[in-house]
Amino acid sequence: MSGESRSPNAELGLLDATMIGAGIFVLTGLAAEIAGPAAILVFALNGIVTTFTGLSYAELAASIPKSGGGYAFVREIFDDLASFVMGWMLWFAYMIAGGLYALGFAPNFLELLHVYGVVPPPGQVGAVALPVVDAGIPLAFLLAFVAVLALVALNAVSTAASGSAETVFTIIKVSILVVFVGFGLASPMFSGAEFQPLFPAGGGAFAILPAMGLTFIAFEGYDLITTVTEEVQNPRENIPKAIFVSLGATVVVYLAVVTVAIGTLGSGGLAEAGEAGIAAAATSFMPTGLPVIRNGGALIVFGAVFSTLTALNAVVIASSRVAFSMGREGQLLPSVGQLHHRYGTPFVAILASAVVMLGSVALPTQSAGNMASLFFLLSFIIVNVAVIRLRRERPDMYRPYEMPLYPLPPLIGVVLNLVLTVVLVEFLIRTDPLALGLSAGWIALGGVAYVVLRRLRGRTGRTASAGTEPGSDTEMSPEVDD
């Protein structure tokens, strides 16, 4: 399992592998609602927390260049049960993240249509009351559903096409956010910015902890890179570079955007705007009367649409690659771990991931964010433990990249992620039992799936030992070029 496994379609370069999440657009308003102006600290501290895990991901990805992200690392190091739990949690996290980004895409897309007079005004940017179709189904739900379907179809037929789309979306997103920050800093509204009181009256400084738990998913872009390792050229070198580029750009851009948003619209205005908080801030200070785009705020709404599509596309890729890796290792049905004979993509894994992702667009946005963050926190704890165990058990293993100051980064990563997990669970018990219940249900379903699949593997193993010909349907390893 320690050899370098490569896909026949290793077509993604360093730029294609570099990903930045879209949580800044979807979760800034929700963070401001919980933490007030201290939402700036929320994103800063989350950047620090995730940096320690980023170092672990970079070392493991360079040492174990396999698709599947954290699951592939844990599968290499831990036993069958631990690796299944890791894969099951990470798969769910990516699928729910897909629902979150689709839910963020819908209101921003409706606002963009409103700017150009295509749909009636929703009242205000980010308003809860969105248009409904004749059947009584919210139009925002239909848009989220269609967005997932479209990107699932794109990824099902072409890895190269989806990677190229990701590159274009990322460049557009970063460029528009830079424009947002530039106009915001030059705005008279920002010159009179008021960040006091920093903490909300009810929760004080401790309010930043649940807000950190909710928004942690905003920093998961760098780990998406490791789910497509085998589709990246020269992965031992490019994957660590892409992780650091993505993480550094994410932290810098996020802090600048949140500071401008709070400094112009205020935490109260952001909280009222919800998922479209950044768009609402932009419309408050961006210039009007511009050619083509009319209102400068429309440019930022356009950026929010592309950003959420970027992140949705990335998690469609990531969730399917985790499922594909689990199928290839015999921990899901063998068909999930096979490449399509025509398209060369993990077709069944993509469709399986789409089922949960499509269902998740019916969730409240905050519940989707809470669930995704919870499972990412849990999986990041295991990844940090994995790098420690691999160092201890295989000290002479080839490591093109080694983190500095080992073992401090993974140890600190374990502690910080564990603290945020405990805080988030306590917050869910009080405020979001739906998210907690669905999370527990997925874990329970995983337990059932593990037992059933283990028995199936036992039966196929006995059949093979009784004389089943190699290459029959009972073999658990799909045909993948290694």
Side-chain angles (χ1 to χ4, degrees):
M1 289 171 56
S2 60
E4 182 170 348
S5 178
R6 295 293 304 278
S7 165
N9 295 319
E11 302 175 357
L12 304 180
L14 174 61
L15 185 59
D16 296 321
T18 302
M19 302 179 186
I20 300 176
I24 191 70
F25 286 100
V26 183
L27 298 173
T28 299
L30 299 177
E33 183 178 0
I34 297 173
I40 299 172
L41 291 179
V42 167
F43 282 91
L45 292 174
N46 267 341
I48 294 172
V49 170
T50 199
T51 296
F52 294 106
T53 303
L55 292 170
S56 294
Y57 262 93
E59 179 169 318
L60 289 170
S63 305
I64 309 172
K66 288 186 175 183
S67 292
Y71 167 75
F73 309 148
V74 173
R75 180 65 174 165
E76 184 84 10
I77 301 163
F78 290 93
D79 60 20
D80 190 68
L81 177 58
S83 60
F84 177 86
V85 170
M86 175 64 178
W88 191 255
M89 291 194 307
L90 200 56
W91 186 28
F92 188 65
Y94 287 133
M95 290 187 291
I96 295 299
L100 171 68
Y101 294 132
L103 289 168
F105 158 78
N108 283 293
F109 184 70
L110 284 173
E111 178 61 23
L112 185 63
L113 293 180
H114 161 57
V115 169
Y116 292 101
V118 178
V119 299
Q124 61 179 20
V125 178
V128 176
L130 295 172
V132 297
V133 296
D134 292 339
I137 302 174
L139 182 56
F141 170 81
L142 289 179
L143 287 172
F145 196 88
V146 170
V148 173
L149 278 180
L151 288 175
V152 164
L154 174 67
N155 281 273
V157 299
S158 174
T159 295
S162 62
S164 298
E166 183 70 25
T167 302
V168 173
F169 288 172
T170 299
I171 292 173
I172 292 174
K173 172 175 57 179
V174 173
S175 299
I176 290 177
L177 287 175
V178 169
V179 171
F180 171 85
V181 172
F183 275 104
L185 292 176
S187 169
M189 296 177 63
F190 187 81
S191 62
E194 180 57 60
F195 297 96
Q196 298 296 333
L198 183 62
F199 302 105
F206 289 102
I208 67 173
L209 293 177
M212 286 178 66
L214 168 65
T215 59
F216 190 77
I217 184 180
F219 292 86
E220 52 81 37
Y222 71 87
D223 68 283
L224 293 168
I225 300 164
T226 62
T227 64
V228 293
T229 295
E230 295 171 38
E231 297 163 60
V232 175
Q233 301 166 5
N234 191 14
R236 289 185 184 272
E237 179 179 343
N238 281 334
I239 294 295
K241 286 181 180 178
I243 288 174
F244 294 132
V245 171
S246 297
L247 187 55
T250 296
V251 173
V252 172
V253 172
Y254 278 14
L255 286 179
V257 169
V258 175
T259 300
V260 167
I262 293 178
T264 54
L265 191 62
S267 60
L270 284 174
E272 185 178 356
E275 298 95 323
I278 299 301
T283 56
S284 70
F285 64 78
M286 293 289 284
T288 59
L290 299 177
V292 183
I293 63 173
R294 301 181 187 177
N295 188 314
L299 179 65
I300 308 306
V301 181
F302 177 79
V305 169
F306 269 86
S307 295
T308 48
L309 283 177
T310 300
L312 176 56
N313 183 63
V315 294
V316 169
I317 296 173
S319 60
S320 63
R321 271 45 174 193
V322 172
F324 170 77
S325 297
M326 293 182 72
R328 187 171 61 178
E329 294 291 335
Q331 292 197 309
L332 290 178
L333 294 175
S335 59
V336 179
Q338 294 177 337
L339 297 175
H340 192 276
H341 68 281
R342 178 180 177 184
Y343 302 126
T345 62
F347 194 84
V348 175
I350 291 172
L351 296 184
S353 301
V355 173
V356 174
M357 203 173 293
L358 288 169
S360 66
V361 300
L363 293 171
T365 302
Q366 185 164 348
S367 294
N370 282 328
M371 292 167 64
S373 290
L374 175 61
F375 279 90
F376 278 122
L377 285 166
L378 290 170
S379 64
F380 284 1
I381 292 172
I382 300 175
V383 167
N384 281 298
V385 173
V387 77
I388 295 173
R389 182 165 179 173
L390 187 64
R391 282 272 195 135
R392 185 175 68 247
E393 295 185 355
R394 305 183 196 177
D396 299 325
M397 184 179 186
Y398 175 53
R399 293 177 172 85
Y401 169 78
E402 292 187 4
M403 72 177 71
L405 303 178
Y406 176 85
L408 287 179
L411 289 175
I412 295 173
V414 168
V415 173
L416 294 179
N417 285 307
L418 184 58
V419 169
L420 283 182
T421 299
V422 173
V423 170
L424 182 56
V425 169
E426 189 275 334
F427 181 71
L428 296 184
I429 292 174
R430 291 187 291 108
T431 65
D432 198 351
L434 173 64
L436 189 61
L438 290 175
S439 299
W442 180 257
I443 294 295
L445 180 62
V448 173
Y450 178 78
V451 172
V452 171
L453 290 168
R454 189 176 179 86
R455 289 181 179 178
L456 287 176
R457 290 202 302 271
R459 290 177 182 175
T460 55
R462 287 194 297 271
T463 302
S465 64
T468 301
E469 295 182 3
S472 69
D473 291 340
T474 59
E475 288 196 21
M476 300 302 294
S477 297
E479 296 180 1
V480 179
D481 291 342
D482 290 333

